[in-house]
Amino acid sequence: MTAASPPGTADDTLHAPHAHPALRAIFREAGVTGFLHAVDLDTGEDIGSGADEPVIVASIRKIPVAVTYARQTAAGVLDRAARHTVTAVNREGGGIGTDSCLYDVTMSTRDLAFFMLSMSDNAATDKLMEIVGTEQVRATAKELGCPDIPVGRYRELWDPVWAELGLDTDGDLDAQLDDVGEDRLRNLAMLDPHRSASATPREITGLLAAIWRDRAGPPEACAEVRELMSHQLSQHRLVAGFGDLGDAVRIAAKNGSLWGVLNEAAVVEYPDGGRYAVAVFLRTATLGGRDPAADDAIGRAARAAVDHLRRARTAATAVTSFTSVTSVSASPSASASASASASRKGTPR
């Protein structure tokens, strides 16, 4: 693995001369500012662009929540089948899953985690945070190398935003947001990784590495998080970058988005055993709505990074094989054996 570059260094940890321009070109063509880190989970070989820059993680913050949940269920502290009710207290409204339900919804602890990771259901996340405990999630994130990642329930994270914008939380927030200018949104503390909770791309791949190496908790807990992440419904960003490979690869991912922010972090597993953690974070020119070029850039950049790591793995394997063959052929025992054979055949040595 390459040595880490100083924090704040842009376009760092790139091994090959062609890798940096390739990633930079992908981001430039999409009109975005991009940050990426990818690592081979077995060799430690890595590649990055702004890998140690703080970034806004958005819903990728939900991964430590899932780890905390899985640890507690594996320890027998939490019952996966226990029933919990998502109420208006948990809903911000207008989101995905239970967050847009008009009435209370009751489901199991496990299904709250499933809704949280498969469709990024904010209300299910808030309920799960209520169950497992905010401080427990914060401790998990810190232990797994993400000490500054945002941790909190819905109102803890969003009430400061509404206050900064001067919005009435008892009124129609969507209607009020329509009157907020883009400059005010872009200047929000929540969207500035130097003024709010954040993580770096390298920290996020480190979090994924711990889960895939069974170091984030008991193997049972890590396996459950991996399984839950494999059900993400969104397929149009990072996953799309590997679409030509079909079912030959397995991808478990979590995406995230906010105003002017599009992200995705995943582990890509190949049939030959190769496993690669990759995290891509974008800042976009548009604040909301679909941005197909940016979505595509996440997939293209992730694929370029993983392809680079796979070439590095193949090259390392070839060198190891060559060295092994050379060592055997040049060893004293091999020379002695060859000499004895030649002697028996009467050939000159």
Side-chain angles (χ1 to χ4, degrees):
M1 183 181 293
T2 54
S5 300
T9 301
D11 302 318
D12 55 344
T13 64
L14 291 162
H15 291 193
H18 65 272
H20 168 206
L23 293 176
R24 187 169 59 187
I26 290 171
F27 296 141
R28 184 176 60 249
E29 289 169 11
V32 300
T33 302
F35 308 87
L36 176 149
H37 187 250
V39 60
D40 185 321
L41 295 183
D42 300 303
T43 69
E45 185 81 13
D46 70 339
I47 180 173
S49 180
D52 296 303
E53 290 286 330
V55 294
I56 299 300
V57 301
S59 284
I60 288 175
R61 73 179 182 88
K62 294 168 183 174
I63 298 176
V65 182
V67 174
T68 305
Y69 148 79
R71 282 177 166 184
Q72 292 184 9
T73 57
V77 175
L78 197 59
D79 181 1
R80 291 184 179 89
R83 311 291 288 177
H84 307 276
T85 301
V86 178
T87 70
V89 172
N90 308 113
R91 296 192 295 268
E92 58 180 284
I96 299 171
T98 63
D99 194 53
S100 282
C101 291
L102 297 179
Y103 305 103
D104 293 352
V105 177
T106 300
M107 63 175 67
S108 69
T109 319
R110 182 268 175 192
D111 288 343
L112 287 170
F114 176 78
F115 272 49
M116 176 180 70
L117 291 186
S118 65
M119 64 183 77
S120 211
D121 183 329
N122 288 331
T125 303
D126 190 77
K127 188 65 183 183
L128 195 59
M129 287 282 295
E130 176 187 322
I131 295 165
V132 302
T134 301
E135 289 307 314
Q136 285 72 17
V137 175
R138 187 170 285 114
T140 296
K142 183 177 181 179
E143 177 189 336
L144 297 180
C146 298
D148 299 319
I149 201 169
V151 174
R153 298 189 54 194
Y154 165 69
R155 294 196 178 280
E156 294 175 70
L157 298 176
W158 282 96
D159 279 356
V161 177
W162 308 142
E164 185 177 350
L165 293 174
L167 304 188
D168 178 9
T169 56
D170 293 325
D172 186 333
L173 289 174
D174 289 334
Q176 294 176 74
L177 282 170
D178 288 340
D179 296 327
V180 177
E182 284 197 4
D183 287 345
R184 290 188 66 198
L185 291 177
R186 288 191 184 280
N187 290 325
L188 282 170
M190 177 188 242
L191 299 179
D192 183 349
H194 298 285
R195 291 191 292 150
S196 66
S198 62
T200 69
R202 190 189 305 276
E203 288 173 347
I204 296 303
T205 57
L207 170 63
L208 294 176
I211 295 169
W212 259 257
R213 292 169 176 161
D214 285 343
R215 296 175 184 170
E220 175 188 343
C222 293
E224 183 168 12
V225 176
R226 293 194 296 267
E227 197 273 334
L228 288 168
M229 287 183 64
S230 72
H231 292 288
Q232 179 175 260
L233 297 178
S234 174
Q235 304 282 302
H236 63 287
R237 292 182 189 167
L238 191 148
V239 176
F242 299 83
D244 61 305
L245 301 178
D247 294 334
V249 297
R250 292 184 299 172
I251 302 177
K254 182 71 196 79
N255 62 12
S257 59
L258 274 172
W259 296 302
V261 172
L262 293 176
N263 307 326
E264 191 148 7
V267 171
V268 184
E269 300 183 74
Y270 281 71
D272 62 4
R275 305 180 301 166
Y276 310 90
V278 57
V280 188
F281 298 85
L282 303 185
R283 297 307 293 260
T284 65
T286 57
L287 288 181
R290 291 294 302 276
D291 191 337
D295 290 336
D296 182 61
I298 290 177
R300 290 173 59 205
R303 178 65 179 272
V306 171
D307 282 351
H308 169 79
L309 294 176
R310 287 185 62 74
R311 287 193 296 270
R313 176 186 279 241
T314 300
T317 301
V319 169
T320 301
S321 298
F322 176 78
T323 302
S324 177
V325 170
T326 303
S327 298
V328 170
S329 63
S331 67
S333 59
S335 298
S337 177
S339 297
S341 176
S343 179
R344 286 195 296 272
K345 294 180 180 179
T347 55
R349 297 194 297 275

